[in-house]
Amino acid sequence: MIATLEFGLDTFVPLTVDDAGLPIDGDQVIRNTVEEAVLAEAVGIDSFNIGEHYRPEFMDSAGHVILAAIAGRTDRIRLGTAVTVLSTRDPVRLYTEFATLDAVSKGRAQLIVGRGSAVESFPLFGFDLADYEELYEEKLDLLVRLLREQPVTWSGRFRPPLTNQVVSPPIATGHIPTWVGVGGSPQSVVRAARFGLPLMLAIIGGRPERFAPYVELYKRALEEHGQPKLPVGLHTLGFVAATDEEAVRIQWPYYKEQFERAAEERGWRPPTYEQFLAEVDHGSMYVGSPETVARRIAEVVRTLDLSRFHLHYAIGRIPHEQRMAMIDLFGREVIPRARELLAATPEPDTTLAAGGRS
Amino acid sequence: MAVAAGQLTAEAPRATTQEIDDRRLGIVGAGKLGTTLARAAVAAGYDVAISGSGPSDDIALTIDVLAPGAHAATTNEVAGHADVIVLAVPTHRFRELQPDLFADKVLIDATNYWPPVDGDDPELADAPEGTSTIVQQHFPSARLVKSLNQLGYHQLEENQLPHGAPNRIAIGAAGDDQLAVRTVMRLLEHLGFDPVDAGPLKNGVALEPDGSPIATTYNAEQLAERIPR
């Protein structure tokens, strides 16, 4: 899997401030994001992936439109989602959007479908959270059929049936890579294996190595369901600057601000600086110098046997200029150094990762 | 060290002539919490049976990988396997289970009402004496103890400490049945946490998390202070 290791950047297109600390308008943030993706391609990053939220602080409610704009300004970088909230989307529409994106981008569209971390889409689009599991299974089933085998005849509980339905446009390459995003529920891991879809783990807190058993579960479930070996990816958080101190110094205030706002609204205790540093040291904040971040990436790629590493870059309202500087470092220094470190060591020791079981 | 939470009202314990066999544990729910708890309980020497929703082959595989040593079973089998059962499902799903399923069992309600998973549930949202009282009403013959709901699932595994270790994390146990509460406190001790008797089931409100993504942890003294007297 290491030979085909791909690196991606993920964003929820957050509202940001300018370098004087003043808020920037949402439409400008969207245009800034296009520039960030153009730079990502220039520095050799493999993919740029946009989330889906319906919240005032995120501008990613129609990420596929932003991806299409990026497609017009780039030639090579893959364009994907992180994640598509499948339960509250119509699979037919989702197919039309991404098959069209694939066409305008000459075969660069990709999808990660999942739950996402927010639930605003349920009441907004008229769905009941209690139906989450059924909605997800049903829509995943239909989406996979549309992607793999048209014309489609299908029926389900939550949308009208299809009879010999052809949905345009066709996918020129015949294939849009579609992964399942998982937060760590064993059921979701097994579901991805059952559908024969690659697995993207979202680990946004705590030690990543505790997910090694989930990778083992995924591999065993693939075997049990007669599926081929499929890749595993990781979505996690981070920020890169010239030194460890500078990266922490830039990222911490925006991280703190973001969680403090949520904590105030909802009566939580916000995370402390010590908790943040613990995450930076051995958890899920890949914050530091290019060398530090490259080392941590190489380690987790080995531990979890990853084929994709996606960095959700720059948490909170970090200014566009600092995001651009970070992307530059990530592409020009972090990725080559991580590849170098991985090439210098043998294949991942998955027996260790799985607690001694091969 | 176990810390009692002040004066408890003298409620007669549920009448039973049976001793509680607490070498065995049943877990209903094979998600993140259930599988983590199964793993921790197996490591602490318990004979664990666990059930989950979904195809039984998938559950068996999940247990084989995530909690080797525990055995996958149906919910009915789990209820029969042990005198102490942990409810580790999304809270609202307790209603799917038969009311007499856990008759005379110590039933540990480890669930927390969490709207992103449970949806909008007025009965659970409004429960003035905590969600476990609602669960008890659904299982009137079960000996409900609210416990194991305070920590994030990964903390159950990563934050265990041996008995007597300083600043061991405390977990409360609230229930109307004294013997049931003490049984649960022994389980908490074996799992590596300081048990705190939180008094009657209605005190369970004090054990409910504030919804923060990072669970706030307390040692025994701090937790005892949070229990109403």
Side-chain angles (χ1 to χ4, degrees):
Chain A
M1 297 295 185
I2 300 289
T4 57
L5 179 60
E6 287 183 8
F7 288 88
L9 287 181
D10 291 357
T11 179
F12 296 166
V13 194
L15 287 177
T16 62
V17 293
D18 64 17
D19 50 20
L22 300 172
I24 293 194
D25 291 336
D27 60 314
Q28 181 63 49
V29 163
I30 288 173
R31 290 189 293 275
N32 288 347
T33 300
V34 173
E35 297 307 320
E36 288 164 22
V38 171
L39 175 61
E41 173 169 284
V43 297
I45 296 169
D46 298 298
S47 73
F48 195 83
N49 308 279
I50 298 181
E52 180 187 335
H53 294 83
Y54 304 93
R55 296 177 61 88
E57 70 265 30
F58 298 132
M59 299 296 103
D60 63 350
S61 53
H64 58 288
V65 178
I66 307 177
L67 292 172
I70 297 168
R73 299 273 310 277
T74 56
D75 299 300
R76 198 190 40 78
I77 195 166
R78 298 196 59 84
L79 308 162
T81 61
V83 299
T84 294
V85 181
L86 184 59
S87 298
T88 49
R89 295 281 243 119
D90 176 44
V92 174
R93 251 192 225 294
L94 183 59
Y95 174 89
T96 62
E97 289 160 7
F98 280 80
T100 305
L101 174 66
D102 202 59
V104 300
S105 67
K106 283 204 192 147
R108 294 185 278 142
Q110 60 186 31
L111 282 167
I112 303 177
V113 297
R115 176 177 209 133
S117 51
V119 294
E120 287 81 9
S121 63
F122 278 77
L124 185 59
F125 296 108
F127 293 95
D128 187 352
L129 263 166
D131 291 330
Y132 167 74
E133 284 295 323
E134 261 195 84
L135 275 167
Y136 190 75
E137 282 269 345
E138 182 174 296
K139 293 192 176 192
L140 187 56
D141 178 57
L142 177 52
L143 177 66
V144 165
R145 306 265 301 274
L146 288 163
L147 290 169
R148 286 177 179 166
E149 55 170 73
Q150 293 200 28
V152 173
T153 297
W154 175 96
S155 67
R157 235 186 89 187
F158 296 104
R159 65 137 14 253
L162 304 176
T163 308
N164 285 323
Q165 184 74 42
V166 170
V167 184
S168 301
I171 303 169
T173 56
H175 174 62
I176 290 181
T178 299
W179 291 44
V180 173
V182 159
S185 106
Q187 193 179 12
S188 304
V189 170
V190 173
R191 180 193 288 125
R194 210 175 351 109
F195 275 92
L197 296 171
L199 186 76
M200 177 65 74
L201 285 167
I203 306 177
I204 58 172
R207 294 173 184 270
E209 49 274 25
R210 80 181 193 276
F211 282 86
Y214 290 84
V215 174
E216 156 93 358
L217 174 61
Y218 177 64
K219 290 176 177 176
R220 294 260 317 260
L222 285 170
E223 273 173 34
E224 300 257 332
H225 288 279
Q227 299 285 0
K229 293 195 166 125
L230 292 174
V232 176
L234 173 66
H235 160 101
T236 192
L237 311 164
F239 188 79
V240 189
T243 65
D244 291 343
E245 292 72 24
E246 189 185 337
V248 166
R249 187 173 45 77
I250 296 175
Q251 175 65 85
W252 162 243
Y254 293 100
Y255 177 96
K256 176 174 187 269
E257 172 192 66
Q258 172 148 317
F259 281 98
E260 262 175 5
R261 189 171 304 147
E264 215 179 278
E265 264 173 38
R266 306 182 208 181
W268 304 341
R269 264 169 56 165
T272 62
Y273 187 53
E274 287 65 38
Q275 283 169 330
F276 174 74
L277 289 180
E279 287 291 337
V280 168
D281 183 63
H282 56 257
S284 297
M285 294 293 299
Y286 291 65
V287 172
S289 67
E291 180 66 20
T292 297
V293 175
R295 283 189 178 280
R296 291 212 60 216
I297 289 175
E299 196 181 317
V300 77
V301 166
R302 278 188 219 115
T303 304
L304 300 180
D305 194 15
L306 301 175
S307 299
R308 280 202 201 168
F309 181 88
H310 282 205
L311 192 71
H312 182 170
Y313 66 101
I315 305 310
R317 304 192 303 164
I318 293 184
H320 171 61
E321 293 73 20
Q322 284 173 321
R323 299 162 78 87
M324 294 288 271
M326 197 228 99
I327 291 170
D328 188 64
L329 279 179
F330 189 69
R332 286 190 311 99
E333 294 190 28
V334 176
I335 293 176
R337 181 58 179 145
R339 289 194 194 280
E340 199 173 69
L341 287 167
L342 286 162
T345 59
E347 279 295 299
D349 188 353
T350 50
T351 58
L352 273 183
R357 298 156 57 88
S358 51
Chain B
M1 292 274 281
V3 175
Q7 300 304 315
L8 302 171
T9 56
E11 295 209 17
R14 201 77 54 100
T16 177
T17 54
Q18 246 181 322
E19 257 192 33
I20 297 176
D21 175 356
D22 63 353
R23 290 157 305 158
R24 295 168 155 232
L25 190 68
I27 301 175
V28 177
K32 290 182 273 198
L33 175 62
T35 53
T36 304
L37 204 42
R39 201 159 53 241
V42 166
Y46 285 83
D47 173 356
V48 181
I50 175 169
S51 67
S53 60
S56 58
D57 286 353
D58 288 348
I59 304 293
L61 175 64
T62 298
I63 301 310
D64 194 38
V65 176
L66 297 185
H71 58 273
T74 64
T75 298
N76 281 328
E77 287 166 351
V78 165
H81 170 79
D83 290 335
V84 181
I85 316 283
V86 182
L87 196 61
V89 297
T91 312
H92 71 281
R93 298 195 68 174
F94 75 86
R95 299 189 184 99
E96 296 169 21
L97 301 170
Q98 291 297 319
D100 61 355
L101 187 56
F102 306 114
D104 284 330
K105 306 289 183 170
V106 173
L107 183 64
I108 302 176
D109 179 15
T111 72
N112 291 310
Y113 172 54
W114 182 231
V117 167
D118 293 301
D120 200 20
D121 194 314
E123 189 183 27
L124 293 173
D126 296 339
E129 296 182 330
T131 55
S132 295
T133 56
I134 310 294
V135 177
Q136 171 78 92
Q137 284 164 24
H138 182 79
F139 301 110
S141 54
R143 303 156 78 175
L144 244 302
V145 178
K146 185 188 197 77
S147 192
L148 286 170
N149 65 303
Q150 286 173 262
L151 300 186
Y153 70 97
H154 60 96
Q155 290 170 309
L156 279 173
E157 219 173 5
E158 291 171 20
N159 293 52
Q160 300 165 347
L161 284 171
H163 179 79
N167 266 327
R168 221 181 176 204
I169 290 179
I171 299 181
D176 298 331
D177 181 320
Q178 306 282 317
L179 189 49
V181 169
R182 282 200 288 279
T183 304
V184 173
M185 288 171 69
R186 272 201 303 282
L187 169 65
L188 295 174
E189 181 65 61
H190 291 148
L191 290 176
F193 299 92
D194 274 351
V196 170
D197 185 341
L201 192 62
K202 64 181 166 75
N203 283 0
V205 168
L207 302 179
E208 285 176 0
D210 57 13
S212 162
I214 303 171
T216 310
T217 59
Y218 305 98
N219 65 25
E221 269 176 39
Q222 293 164 336
L223 184 56
E225 273 162 32
R226 299 175 63 80
I227 313 295
R229 290 177 193 279

